[in-house]
Amino acid sequence: YLPKSAYWQMQEELFRVLPDGLYSLSPQSQPDQCLGLSENTISDAVQLYPHPCNRPSQLWNITWLNDGTYRFSSAKANTRVLSATNAPAPMGSIQ
């Protein structure tokens, strides 16, 4: 009665919400804005920008890590990363 490896692989795929790729991230409270890195070369702060969000600093590469989490890295600077966890809440969580 113990789960087999295929069971865990299926569970992993069921937790996956998004296919890997580039995305524009908008807060639910401000859907006309997107999250991006500062265009200021001195600072790499994350801030909100008005749409359209098509610059590399405003796009995020989302990658499934096969452990129930995603990696959100900036398309502009791969060293800037957000991490997201599939939490047992309707919206999940971002850390």
Side-chain angles (χ1 to χ4, degrees):
Y1 295 109
L2 296 174
K4 308 292 187 254
S5 62
Y7 169 82
W8 295 114
Q9 290 171 353
M10 186 174 67
Q11 288 296 320
E12 191 70 29
E13 284 302 315
L14 290 173
F15 281 122
R16 188 175 183 159
V17 178
L18 298 171
D20 293 352
L22 287 176
Y23 291 87
S24 170
L25 304 177
S26 297
Q28 186 174 6
S29 62
Q30 298 179 36
D32 60 336
Q33 303 278 316
C34 70
L35 189 65
L37 291 182
S38 172
E39 304 248 336
N40 181 345
T41 57
I42 298 170
S43 170
D44 281 332
V46 175
Q47 62 188 48
L48 290 174
Y49 289 92
H51 279 286
C53 299
N54 52 9
R55 293 183 174 159
S57 63
Q58 300 164 349
L59 296 175
W60 295 87
N61 186 9
I62 299 178
T63 308
W64 178 249
L65 299 180
N66 293 319
D67 64 358
T69 64
Y70 287 91
R71 176 183 174 93
F72 289 45
S73 57
S74 170
K76 175 185 173 189
N78 205 20
T79 58
R80 302 312 252 172
V81 175
L82 300 173
S83 65
T85 305
N86 187 2
M91 297 302 292
S93 66
I94 294 183
Q95 304 168 337

